[in-house]
Amino acid sequence: MGSVVSREVHIKRAPSGMPTEEDFEIVEVQIPDPGSGEVLVRNIYMSVDPYMRGHVLVGRMIDDALGKVMDGGAIGQVVASNHDAHQVGDYVSSDLGFREYFVADGSGHKTVEPGIAPLQAYLGIAGMPGHTAYSGFLTIGEPKPGETVFVSGAGGAVGSIVCQIAKIKECRVVGSTGSDEKVSWLVDELGVDSAINYKKVDDLSAELGEHCPDKIDIFFDNVGGDHLEAALYHMNRFGRIIGCGIISELNSTVPLPGPPNLVYLYTQRVKFQGFISSDYSDQLPQFYEDMGRWIKEGRVKWKETILEGIENAPKAFVGLFRGDNAGKMLVKIGPDPAI
């Protein structure tokens, strides 16, 4: 079909603290035809996730990431193929986001069958964020009916799913988020028992105590920092803390001290375990079965913030850390044939 021109998001400079749109640049590149065993994919949606700040922009930026395309989750469609497992028209998920087109050998790509949810939801509730919420909460949290669950970052892609799974498991759920709009969404639409706008609270620990009179059995932490400190004061004995993210600390320019009240881990016999979703890849079949059923039954809902055009990917990335998103942050790169 001849080479195509693709726009990509390249890392222009190392962010210091909060990233800015000027840390990135849009670059045009020529994408060759696929060779033997390769596919040409046109990306349709790309994911914007907090882990990209810590894993990509800190871990390897200084050495070899400057001037290179940024990676991230994406859903695309095969437009040319010399690969037995991927036919033209197939939808595939990959870690090759932040670009309009790419050629690759197909390894690590997973065929997506639209049907459980809209195509972009395979980057959210039916994808990595959904699996992260599902596996971490159920495996580490081991929820029991009637227990109190506190979720930080409850208005985000992972946190909002945790809240709903906790309700399905008959728990009492308290969420923390950064706006009154998100508080209303959590309580009125997702069925969370109560929610806190932490930006309006002077003493988060005292506020959390008001919302959790029976203390906390499970804390699903997406934020770290003051949220972890506040939760520690209110953990029940043999409670469980699920360490999923520390978005409050990702843009810090200096190492931050840990919570001063870690002694509560010992006195309350609290289990604290961090994880990443790939730790539980063996649970994917059960996740797809359960999540597909919950979506069909209307037991889970989701919200998306979608920016249009690859040129808005830096804006989406920076906006994620400002809390501009409600639910999953996405960039729509091209037309979605599944609509």
Side-chain angles (χ1 to χ4, degrees), residues 7-322:
R7 290 182 296 170
E8 301 178 341
V9 180
H10 286 207
I11 303 169
K12 184 178 180 180
R13 66 185 184 190
S16 177
M18 182 75 172
T20 68
E21 294 181 44
E22 288 71 31
D23 295 326
F24 306 90
E25 60 182 345
I26 307 298
V27 177
E28 288 191 354
V29 297
Q30 290 284 335
I31 304 296
D33 289 339
S36 177
E38 292 184 327
V39 293
L40 171 65
V41 175
R42 177 182 63 82
N43 278 330
I44 301 171
Y45 293 98
M46 52 165 274
S47 180
V48 184
D49 297 290
Y51 80 86
M52 296 172 183
R53 180 62 175 91
H55 179 64
V56 179
L57 299 184
V58 175
R60 65 180 178 86
M61 170 170 273
I62 295 175
D63 295 329
D64 64 359
L66 287 176
K68 294 185 179 180
V69 66
M70 183 148 161
D71 292 326
I75 297 288
Q77 189 172 38
V78 177
V79 295
S81 177
N82 292 314
H83 194 289
D84 292 339
H86 299 296
Q87 307 303 313
V88 172
D90 284 354
Y91 297 103
V92 294
S93 63
S94 75
D95 291 325
L96 299 174
F98 287 85
R99 65 198 93 194
E100 292 175 314
Y101 290 86
F102 66 85
V103 166
D105 63 8
S107 62
H109 302 172
K110 182 178 179 180
T111 300
V112 171
E113 298 290 347
I116 292 178
L119 191 60
Q120 71 272 18
Y122 289 86
L123 293 172
I125 195 166
M128 183 273 290
H131 179 237
T132 298
Y134 177 93
S135 60
F137 179 68
L138 295 181
T139 305
I140 301 172
E142 300 178 306
K144 303 173 184 63
E147 289 191 318
T148 295
V149 176
F150 174 48
V151 182
S152 63
V158 173
S160 60
I161 301 169
V162 172
C163 288
Q164 295 177 87
I165 296 175
K167 292 304 299 181
I168 289 172
K169 297 301 177 180
E170 301 179 12
C171 297
R172 183 179 184 275
V173 182
V174 177
S176 174
T177 189
S179 73
D180 290 341
E181 180 184 4
K182 293 178 184 178
V183 166
S184 296
W185 177 56
L186 289 169
V187 174
D188 298 337
E189 296 190 41
L190 301 192
V192 169
D193 294 277
S194 67
I196 301 167
N197 180 352
Y198 71 89
K199 292 183 179 179
K200 289 187 171 182
V201 172
D202 293 327
D203 187 335
L204 182 58
S205 177
E207 184 74 15
L208 188 57
E210 292 293 324
H211 286 258
C212 302
D214 296 324
K215 295 192 174 182
I216 300 166
D217 299 295
I218 303 171
F219 174 36
F220 196 103
D221 190 16
N222 294 297
V223 175
D226 59 349
H227 280 73
L228 175 57
E229 180 180 341
L232 280 169
Y233 283 119
H234 300 284
M235 295 300 299
N236 276 318
R237 284 189 177 180
F238 305 105
R240 289 82 75 198
I241 297 177
I242 305 159
C244 182
I246 51 169
I247 195 169
S248 68
E249 302 176 28
L250 289 178
N251 295 312
S252 175
T253 57
V254 296
L256 297 177
N261 58 343
L262 287 178
V263 66
Y264 283 85
L265 288 176
Y266 310 107
T267 60
Q268 297 300 91
R269 291 76 147 176
V270 173
K271 178 175 79 171
F272 189 151
Q273 182 175 334
F275 79 107
I276 57 176
S277 62
S278 59
D279 295 339
Y280 303 109
S281 56
D282 60 323
Q283 296 182 9
L284 279 168
Q286 189 63 50
F287 161 68
Y288 289 128
E289 180 181 335
D290 288 342
M291 188 58 70
R293 184 178 68 256
W294 294 336
I295 291 173
K296 185 177 180 180
E297 294 172 349
R299 303 185 73 185
V300 292
K301 302 176 183 178
W302 64 94
K303 185 174 283 191
E304 299 160 339
T305 301
I306 303 178
L307 277 65
E308 298 267 354
I310 190 73
E311 66 276 8
N312 282 315
K315 179 179 180 180
F317 185 78
V318 173
L320 181 71
F321 294 97
R322 289 196 302 252

